[in-house]
Amino acid sequence: MRLEGEPGAWRFTRDGLTRDVSVAKLPDGRLSLLFADGRQVCGRARATGMGQVEVVVAGEVRTVALADPLHDRLSHSAAPGAGSGDEEVRALMPGRVVEVRVAEGDRVASGQVVLVLEAMKMQNEIRASAGGVVARCAVAAGQAVDGGALMLVVRDSNG
């Protein structure tokens, strides 16, 4: 199952079938999901832990895993000093590279914007999670990328 969008307007994908859904909070605290085909589902949701939501509909409890791309990337990145010292910057979702702000051999600081990726009609600034030197630039402005595609490699200047 995959859920993407922004407050009020979501796209729900399950078993290869994608549906658009509007979400509204009802006065009694339940959520109302109105699908484009007119079906409506009401229920309650509560966060149960990092990246998980428990949804109750018609007395049935289901746990749904949600991933905020930034926090998902941070939680899956290696601890400082671990690994090879290379940071692979990958696309978190399909999109189009709008701008590449670095080139191979450039020195980058932790938190520096290295490229801009447009996904779901939003421009996302992609930042280096650690300082170093750009060892490889695998994309160019205007290029379409798939989710998980390698875009840059930043080598730890100490490694």
Side-chain angles (χ1 to χ4, degrees):
M1 184 176 89
R2 182 174 172 185
L3 186 64
E4 55 189 25
E6 52 193 53
W10 295 88
R11 179 159 285 164
F12 174 78
T13 304
R14 182 175 174 192
D15 299 328
L17 183 61
T18 300
R19 296 188 176 119
D20 291 326
V21 62
S22 297
V23 180
K25 187 171 183 177
L26 300 175
D28 66 359
R30 292 180 302 146
L31 296 177
S32 170
L33 284 68
L34 180 60
F35 291 86
D37 64 5
R39 288 181 308 115
Q40 182 180 18
V41 176
C42 295
R44 298 189 188 281
R46 70 180 177 101
T48 60
M50 183 70 168
Q52 292 190 338
V53 176
E54 187 177 81
V55 180
V56 181
V57 176
E60 187 177 336
V61 179
R62 294 185 183 179
T63 301
V64 179
L66 302 176
D68 166 12
L70 174 62
H71 291 98
D72 184 58
R73 180 176 176 198
L74 292 174
S75 68
H76 289 93
S77 63
S84 69
D86 289 354
E87 173 195 4
E88 291 186 342
V89 179
R90 295 185 175 271
L92 298 175
M93 60 187 67
R96 183 181 60 83
V97 177
V98 175
E99 180 182 5
V100 179
R101 295 190 182 175
V102 296
E104 288 183 18
D106 287 355
R107 183 167 297 282
V108 296
S110 178
Q112 177 180 336
V113 175
V114 292
L115 59 90
V116 178
L117 180 68
E118 182 179 75
M120 296 174 23
K121 299 182 183 179
M122 294 180 61
Q123 290 193 0
N124 303 281
E125 291 183 335
I126 309 302
R127 299 174 183 272
S129 63
V133 176
V134 177
R136 180 172 176 209
C137 184
V139 295
Q143 181 177 341
V145 294
D146 292 327
L150 178 66
M151 297 185 294
L152 290 171
V153 175
V154 178
R155 178 155 296 137
D156 182 353
S157 55
N158 298 324

PDB file of all heavy atoms in Angstrom, residues 34 38 41 48 51 60 70 90 93 102 108 110 112-113 127 139 149:
ATOM      1  N   LEU A  34     -13.117  10.371   1.043  1.00  0.00           N
ATOM      2  CA  LEU A  34     -14.070  10.382  -0.066  1.00  0.00           C
ATOM      3  C   LEU A  34     -13.307  10.090  -1.348  1.00  0.00           C
ATOM      4  O   LEU A  34     -12.459  10.875  -1.771  1.00  0.00           O
ATOM      5  CB  LEU A  34     -14.782  11.731  -0.154  1.00  0.00           C
ATOM      6  CG  LEU A  34     -15.809  11.875  -1.263  1.00  0.00           C
ATOM      7  CD1 LEU A  34     -16.932  10.846  -1.099  1.00  0.00           C
ATOM      8  CD2 LEU A  34     -16.382  13.286  -1.278  1.00  0.00           C
ATOM      9  N   GLY A  38     -17.027   8.206  -5.542  1.00  0.00           N
ATOM     10  CA  GLY A  38     -18.166   8.476  -4.672  1.00  0.00           C
ATOM     11  C   GLY A  38     -18.209   7.664  -3.392  1.00  0.00           C
ATOM     12  O   GLY A  38     -19.007   7.961  -2.500  1.00  0.00           O
ATOM     13  N   VAL A  41     -15.345   6.306   3.247  1.00  0.00           N
ATOM     14  CA  VAL A  41     -14.943   5.463   4.372  1.00  0.00           C
ATOM     15  C   VAL A  41     -14.647   6.399   5.530  1.00  0.00           C
ATOM     16  O   VAL A  41     -13.959   7.407   5.365  1.00  0.00           O
ATOM     17  CB  VAL A  41     -13.686   4.629   4.032  1.00  0.00           C
ATOM     18  CG1 VAL A  41     -13.221   3.830   5.234  1.00  0.00           C
ATOM     19  CG2 VAL A  41     -13.940   3.727   2.841  1.00  0.00           C
ATOM     20  N   THR A  48       1.174   5.057  16.193  1.00  0.00           N
ATOM     21  CA  THR A  48       1.572   4.041  17.172  1.00  0.00           C
ATOM     22  C   THR A  48       3.075   3.975  17.348  1.00  0.00           C
ATOM     23  O   THR A  48       3.552   3.309  18.240  1.00  0.00           O
ATOM     24  CB  THR A  48       1.070   2.644  16.754  1.00  0.00           C
ATOM     25  OG1 THR A  48       1.624   2.323  15.489  1.00  0.00           O
ATOM     26  CG2 THR A  48      -0.441   2.595  16.697  1.00  0.00           C
ATOM     27  N   GLY A  51       6.682   6.193  12.047  1.00  0.00           N
ATOM     28  CA  GLY A  51       6.272   5.795  10.707  1.00  0.00           C
ATOM     29  C   GLY A  51       5.109   4.837  10.628  1.00  0.00           C
ATOM     30  O   GLY A  51       4.866   4.266   9.574  1.00  0.00           O
ATOM     31  N   GLU A  60     -12.482  -2.912  12.801  1.00  0.00           N
ATOM     32  CA  GLU A  60     -11.300  -3.661  12.375  1.00  0.00           C
ATOM     33  C   GLU A  60     -10.068  -2.765  12.470  1.00  0.00           C
ATOM     34  O   GLU A  60     -10.070  -1.638  11.981  1.00  0.00           O
ATOM     35  CB  GLU A  60     -11.473  -4.144  10.931  1.00  0.00           C
ATOM     36  CG  GLU A  60     -10.368  -5.057  10.464  1.00  0.00           C
ATOM     37  CD  GLU A  60     -10.624  -5.570   9.052  1.00  0.00           C
ATOM     38  OE1 GLU A  60     -11.779  -5.612   8.622  1.00  0.00           O
ATOM     39  OE2 GLU A  60      -9.627  -5.916   8.397  1.00  0.00           O
ATOM     40  N   LEU A  70      12.183  12.627   4.106  1.00  0.00           N
ATOM     41  CA  LEU A  70      13.361  13.166   4.778  1.00  0.00           C
ATOM     42  C   LEU A  70      13.737  12.320   5.987  1.00  0.00           C
ATOM     43  O   LEU A  70      14.878  11.893   6.128  1.00  0.00           O
ATOM     44  CB  LEU A  70      13.118  14.611   5.220  1.00  0.00           C
ATOM     45  CG  LEU A  70      14.236  15.226   6.071  1.00  0.00           C
ATOM     46  CD1 LEU A  70      15.536  15.276   5.281  1.00  0.00           C
ATOM     47  CD2 LEU A  70      13.835  16.603   6.545  1.00  0.00           C
ATOM     48  N   ARG A  90      20.388   9.335  -3.437  1.00  0.00           N
ATOM     49  CA  ARG A  90      19.449   8.667  -4.336  1.00  0.00           C
ATOM     50  C   ARG A  90      18.107   9.372  -4.330  1.00  0.00           C
ATOM     51  O   ARG A  90      17.722   9.986  -3.332  1.00  0.00           O
ATOM     52  CB  ARG A  90      19.271   7.211  -3.933  1.00  0.00           C
ATOM     53  CG  ARG A  90      20.556   6.405  -4.096  1.00  0.00           C
ATOM     54  CD  ARG A  90      20.348   4.930  -3.816  1.00  0.00           C
ATOM     55  NE  ARG A  90      21.558   4.180  -4.088  1.00  0.00           N
ATOM     56  CZ  ARG A  90      21.854   3.654  -5.282  1.00  0.00           C
ATOM     57  NH1 ARG A  90      21.035   3.795  -6.286  1.00  0.00           N
ATOM     58  NH2 ARG A  90      22.986   2.991  -5.452  1.00  0.00           N
ATOM     59  N   MET A  93      11.875   9.309  -4.718  1.00  0.00           N
ATOM     60  CA  MET A  93      10.688   9.003  -5.512  1.00  0.00           C
ATOM     61  C   MET A  93      10.975   9.414  -6.953  1.00  0.00           C
ATOM     62  O   MET A  93      11.924  10.146  -7.199  1.00  0.00           O
ATOM     63  CB  MET A  93       9.473   9.745  -4.955  1.00  0.00           C
ATOM     64  CG  MET A  93       9.603  11.245  -4.954  1.00  0.00           C
ATOM     65  SD  MET A  93       8.251  12.099  -4.126  1.00  0.00           S
ATOM     66  CE  MET A  93       8.502  11.605  -2.442  1.00  0.00           C
ATOM     67  N   VAL A 102      26.198  21.215  -8.039  1.00  0.00           N
ATOM     68  CA  VAL A 102      27.584  20.819  -7.805  1.00  0.00           C
ATOM     69  C   VAL A 102      28.104  20.053  -9.009  1.00  0.00           C
ATOM     70  O   VAL A 102      27.325  19.594  -9.843  1.00  0.00           O
ATOM     71  CB  VAL A 102      27.724  19.953  -6.530  1.00  0.00           C
ATOM     72  CG1 VAL A 102      27.355  20.740  -5.291  1.00  0.00           C
ATOM     73  CG2 VAL A 102      26.897  18.691  -6.637  1.00  0.00           C
ATOM     74  N   VAL A 108      31.676  19.989  -0.693  1.00  0.00           N
ATOM     75  CA  VAL A 108      30.363  20.353  -0.172  1.00  0.00           C
ATOM     76  C   VAL A 108      30.370  20.272   1.347  1.00  0.00           C
ATOM     77  O   VAL A 108      31.107  19.477   1.931  1.00  0.00           O
ATOM     78  CB  VAL A 108      29.227  19.453  -0.738  1.00  0.00           C
ATOM     79  CG1 VAL A 108      29.094  19.631  -2.236  1.00  0.00           C
ATOM     80  CG2 VAL A 108      29.442  17.998  -0.396  1.00  0.00           C
ATOM     81  N   SER A 110      28.127  19.818   5.008  1.00  0.00           N
ATOM     82  CA  SER A 110      26.952  19.128   5.520  1.00  0.00           C
ATOM     83  C   SER A 110      25.756  20.075   5.472  1.00  0.00           C
ATOM     84  O   SER A 110      25.853  21.224   5.900  1.00  0.00           O
ATOM     85  CB  SER A 110      27.207  18.686   6.964  1.00  0.00           C
ATOM     86  OG  SER A 110      26.063  18.063   7.485  1.00  0.00           O
ATOM     87  N   GLN A 112      24.427  21.326   2.747  1.00  0.00           N
ATOM     88  CA  GLN A 112      24.441  22.139   1.524  1.00  0.00           C
ATOM     89  C   GLN A 112      23.517  21.540   0.481  1.00  0.00           C
ATOM     90  O   GLN A 112      23.477  20.323   0.292  1.00  0.00           O
ATOM     91  CB  GLN A 112      25.866  22.222   0.971  1.00  0.00           C
ATOM     92  CG  GLN A 112      25.985  22.990  -0.328  1.00  0.00           C
ATOM     93  CD  GLN A 112      27.416  23.037  -0.839  1.00  0.00           C
ATOM     94  OE1 GLN A 112      28.375  22.895  -0.074  1.00  0.00           O
ATOM     95  NE2 GLN A 112      27.563  23.242  -2.135  1.00  0.00           N
ATOM     96  N   VAL A 113      22.763  22.396  -0.236  1.00  0.00           N
ATOM     97  CA  VAL A 113      21.903  21.936  -1.324  1.00  0.00           C
ATOM     98  C   VAL A 113      22.805  21.495  -2.479  1.00  0.00           C
ATOM     99  O   VAL A 113      23.649  22.270  -2.947  1.00  0.00           O
ATOM    100  CB  VAL A 113      20.930  23.038  -1.793  1.00  0.00           C
ATOM    101  CG1 VAL A 113      20.127  22.569  -3.000  1.00  0.00           C
ATOM    102  CG2 VAL A 113      20.001  23.455  -0.660  1.00  0.00           C
ATOM    103  N   ARG A 127      19.895  17.836  -0.021  1.00  0.00           N
ATOM    104  CA  ARG A 127      21.076  18.331   0.687  1.00  0.00           C
ATOM    105  C   ARG A 127      22.034  17.192   1.032  1.00  0.00           C
ATOM    106  O   ARG A 127      21.605  16.066   1.249  1.00  0.00           O
ATOM    107  CB  ARG A 127      20.653  19.036   1.971  1.00  0.00           C
ATOM    108  CG  ARG A 127      19.773  20.238   1.715  1.00  0.00           C
ATOM    109  CD  ARG A 127      19.233  20.855   2.998  1.00  0.00           C
ATOM    110  NE  ARG A 127      18.337  21.961   2.697  1.00  0.00           N
ATOM    111  CZ  ARG A 127      18.736  23.217   2.521  1.00  0.00           C
ATOM    112  NH1 ARG A 127      20.018  23.513   2.636  1.00  0.00           N
ATOM    113  NH2 ARG A 127      17.873  24.154   2.239  1.00  0.00           N
ATOM    114  N   VAL A 139      23.599  12.559 -12.723  1.00  0.00           N
ATOM    115  CA  VAL A 139      22.408  13.144 -13.340  1.00  0.00           C
ATOM    116  C   VAL A 139      22.728  14.524 -13.892  1.00  0.00           C
ATOM    117  O   VAL A 139      23.733  15.130 -13.539  1.00  0.00           O
ATOM    118  CB  VAL A 139      21.232  13.250 -12.340  1.00  0.00           C
ATOM    119  CG1 VAL A 139      20.754  11.880 -11.901  1.00  0.00           C
ATOM    120  CG2 VAL A 139      21.591  14.108 -11.139  1.00  0.00           C
ATOM    121  N   ALA A 149      17.011   5.890  -7.821  1.00  0.00           N
ATOM    122  CA  ALA A 149      18.101   6.115  -8.780  1.00  0.00           C
ATOM    123  C   ALA A 149      19.251   6.886  -8.117  1.00  0.00           C
ATOM    124  O   ALA A 149      19.035   7.829  -7.364  1.00  0.00           O
ATOM    125  CB  ALA A 149      17.598   6.894  -9.992  1.00  0.00           C
TER     126      ALA A 149
END
